Amino acid sequence: MAKVTVIGLGNMGRPMALNLQKAGNETLGWDLVPAARDRFTSEGGRIANGLEGALKDADAVVSMIPAGPDVHAAYLGENGILVHAAKETLLIDSSTIDVDTSRAVSKAATEAGYMMVDAPVSGAQPAAIAGTLTFMVGGTVEAFEKAKPVLEGMGTNVIHAGPAGSGQAAKICNNMLAGTNMAVLCEALHLGQGLGLDPKVMFEIINKSSGQSWALTNYCPVPGPVPAAASNRNFEPGFATALMTKDMTLSQQAAQSAGVSTPLAAQARAMYQLLVNSGYADKDFSVIYEFLAGQKK
């Protein structure tokens, strides 16, 4: 049994922490937002007495924080994780952030004597709740092997992507694909409706044909065919449109930095930004289906 502290108890971090607890770890949670702390305790979690208390005697720290500047501050700030955590504490950042920030934080942690991995996730909130997340891990082989038992308490697939920052690179590519795929899936389903096809029949056909995808099979934007999908609960997230917009933006920043052309993803990013600007930021990213319904010519 390990002593694991989870920093960040939002829609993803909270169920991840609860699954670590179910796996037999001595788990503490911490979040700057009182409501997040209260919800965690209401679901059976234990809250630490501040960040310093959260880090005391921890074998591992798992952070799930919204953005790059937040991760930088959480680890490298004057009252941050590197100030309070013991050098023996394994650091695992499961946030989805830009590669440059991830590498900079990992470099600073390593130079300070810590072992650290970046381990962003795939699967959205349903997988976080079920404990079936996929972790894409960047760091040394030694750090990966040390982190693997902790990550297996929250997911079913733990894959070493390469050196520091590689987990973030893999996550950005994966979510660029997922976001673009969802956008064009919703367009295809609406085109089928425009041509007189029942969208539920379209689901059956596409699911057995060359257009089949994770977005359709596990996250269908049409209400009905996939009971667990956000489309059956008024598009409450799962994975919020604002977060997908952030990830699609990260992909375009990365593409520009790498000198790689990604024109389809650029168009999909613009679509998600339009959704955010139209008031759908807090809805699941599959709400693009509902949005398109109101855009008929």
Side-chain angles (χ1 to χ4, degrees):
M1 180 177 71
K3 294 182 179 179
V4 185
T5 292
V6 178
I7 309 295
L9 300 172
N11 287 336
M12 296 294 289
R14 185 181 67 257
M16 288 166 65
L18 292 171
N19 279 326
L20 282 170
Q21 185 171 285
K22 291 174 186 175
N25 297 289
E26 186 178 329
T27 307
L28 283 176
W30 178 250
D31 197 295
L32 292 173
V33 180
R37 300 197 298 264
D38 291 344
R39 182 167 181 184
F40 183 59
T41 56
S42 74
E43 295 179 2
R46 294 173 57 231
I47 287 291
N49 183 23
L51 180 62
E52 185 175 357
L55 297 171
K56 185 179 180 181
D57 300 325
D59 297 316
V61 172
V62 178
S63 55
M64 191 55 134
I65 304 173
D70 304 312
V71 171
H72 190 278
Y75 280 90
L76 307 185
E78 61 181 21
N79 195 37
I81 292 170
L82 298 193
V83 174
H84 296 298
K87 290 294 190 290
E88 297 77 21
T89 303
L90 171 67
L91 307 179
I92 301 172
D93 182 38
S94 288
S95 316
T96 296
I97 61 173
D98 62 284
V99 175
D100 289 343
T101 297
S102 180
R103 286 176 174 161
V105 171
S106 182
K107 183 174 184 290
T110 300
E111 290 176 348
Y114 293 92
M115 192 174 290
M116 184 172 187
V117 297
D118 51 288
V121 305
S122 180
Q125 191 183 39
I129 293 170
T132 57
L133 290 166
T134 292
F135 287 90
M136 296 154 266
V137 187
T140 65
V141 173
E142 182 184 4
F144 170 73
E145 292 297 337
K146 189 173 181 180
K148 191 174 181 181
V150 177
L151 298 175
E152 287 175 337
M154 302 176 284
T156 52
N157 300 292
V158 180
I159 303 167
H160 189 210
S166 298
Q168 295 295 349
K171 173 63 184 287
I172 287 170
C173 294
N174 179 77
N175 274 29
M176 182 182 78
L177 178 59
T180 304
N181 183 230
M182 179 60 79
V184 74
L185 169 63
C186 291
E187 289 185 358
L189 291 170
H190 275 289
L191 176 59
Q193 283 184 277
L195 295 172
L197 296 170
D198 183 331
K200 294 179 181 178
V201 173
M202 282 291 294
F203 170 85
E204 294 181 20
I205 292 170
I206 297 173
N207 204 32
K208 300 296 183 183
S209 302
S210 58
Q212 188 273 339
S213 66
W214 178 91
L216 179 74
T217 303
N218 297 284
Y219 224 78
C220 182
V222 175
V226 179
S231 55
N232 293 303
R233 53 177 192 273
N234 194 31
F235 295 98
E236 293 303 312
F239 192 73
T241 297
L243 293 177
M244 180 55 80
T245 305
K246 181 196 82 170
D247 289 1
M248 294 298 290
T249 300
L250 287 174
S251 79
Q252 294 313 289
Q253 292 171 347
Q256 184 176 11
S257 177
V260 174
S261 179
T262 57
L264 295 180
Q267 289 296 316
R269 194 217 71 83
M271 174 59 78
Y272 287 111
Q273 186 63 60
L274 177 60
L275 286 172
V276 170
N277 296 345
S278 301
Y280 292 90
D282 295 330
K283 291 292 188 179
D284 190 82
F285 79 105
S286 59
V287 78
I288 192 169
Y289 178 81
E290 184 177 90
F291 177 81
L292 289 174
Q295 304 300 306
K296 291 183 179 180
K297 297 179 180 179

